Each structure stands twice: as structure tokens, then as C-alpha cells.
Amino acid sequence: MKRIESFCVNHDRLTPGLYLSRVDGDAVTYDLRMVVPNAGTYLDNDGIHTFEHLFATYARNSEYSDRVIYVGPMGCRTGFYLVVRDSISKEEVISLVRRTMDFIAAYEGEIPGATRIECGNYREHSLEKARAYAASMAGVLRDWTPDKMAYLP
């Protein structure tokens, strides 16, 4: 089988940030890398789960709602995927993700979609962890620019 593109990225060189992963027609995948891969620290499932609910809710209620295709966690527990239509510029994606991190870091209240009827694992959530993850990423992305979005070879 053909090796997929994401396995061609040297994970030993990755650091937290927002990266352009791939373009498939009008679908553009961004990787929100939140921890250093293979460094022994990974995102916890309960924090990832809450982060996902808040990230997806915020992005799908933003001015780009009709252009957000997918928000979801990486199986390796090092970050998230954001898939959008190519009509959103890199600058707009950075702005959206920054605003989303600020929203999650400050969020208080009920976790959207976290009832038994709405969620397949409604008991596994941690708002505290999601807020901490977002606060950390807000700092990383504070001075992020499109020229930093390229993965190193």
C-alpha cells in the first residue's frame, strides 16, 4: 500500500503549533499539535473529549461555520485536526483557532453535547483539563503566523 502523507512527517521534529497538513481539492487539513510527539506527555482522554466538544461547538458557530468540515482529536493524543474549505485563508484559520483557544480557556458552564442522549461517552469529560490545554495553546499561538505553518522536512 501507498504510505500516507501524515506518516511522512518527521515526528521527532514536531513542536506545538498550528500546521498545514494537506490539501485535498477544496478541503484543507490543519494539525493543531498540542504536545511534543513521543516525549512521554500526552493529552488525557477526558480533557481531549471536552476540548473536542468545545472546539467543534465554537468553530461551527463562528462566521466560518459553513466552511468547517471537521474538528477532531489525533489518535496519538498529541493534538487535533481541523478540516476546512479552502475559502478560509491561513490568517483566518490562525485567528479562528486563537479565538477558540481563548473561548475554551475561559469557558464555564455545561459542556455542550455532554448528556447521555447527545454523547456516546458522556461521563468522560474534564473541563479543567480542556481549559488548561487551551490556555497552553493560546500562549503558543500568540505570535503564530502563516510562515510558521509548514512542517519541517
Side-chain angles (χ1 to χ4, degrees):
M1 283 189 272
K2 186 175 151 185
R3 191 170 178 215
I4 63 172
E5 287 183 45
S6 61
F7 296 157
C8 297
V9 174
N10 184 344
H11 284 67
D12 286 339
R13 300 186 77 176
L14 296 181
T15 58
L18 179 62
Y19 300 96
L20 174 61
S21 177
R22 57 183 295 142
V23 178
D24 299 288
D26 74 334
V28 181
T29 302
Y30 291 92
D31 292 355
L32 181 63
R33 294 284 176 173
M34 299 170 70
V35 297
V36 175
N38 301 311
T41 300
Y42 302 96
L43 303 173
D44 293 325
N45 284 330
D46 55 353
I48 289 172
H49 194 186
T50 303
F51 189 97
E52 175 191 18
H53 279 235
L54 293 169
F55 191 167
T57 297
Y58 187 86
R60 290 184 177 137
N61 281 280
S62 74
E63 66 273 29
Y64 305 109
S65 62
D66 61 335
R67 294 176 271 174
V68 173
I69 299 170
Y70 176 75
V71 173
M74 296 177 175
C76 59
R77 299 182 8 237
T78 63
F80 276 77
Y81 299 110
L82 171 63
V83 184
V84 298
R85 300 275 177 221
D86 65 359
S87 57
I88 303 176
S89 71
K90 290 178 183 176
E91 291 84 1
E92 290 170 312
V93 168
I94 293 169
S95 175
L96 173 61
V97 174
R98 279 185 187 141
R99 288 183 286 130
T100 304
M101 295 306 103
D102 292 341
F103 168 77
I104 296 170
Y107 189 80
E108 295 179 8
E110 300 279 324
I111 299 163
T115 67
R116 181 183 181 96
I117 293 171
E118 300 166 308
C119 180
N121 191 5
Y122 75 102
R123 290 186 181 124
E124 188 174 43
H125 280 280
S126 173
L127 180 56
E128 179 183 343
K129 290 177 186 175
R131 289 178 63 172
Y133 297 157
S136 176
M137 283 310 298
V140 169
L141 298 176
R142 185 168 291 116
D143 298 318
W144 209 257
T145 59
D147 60 304
K148 295 180 179 181
M149 294 177 101
Y151 275 132
L152 298 173

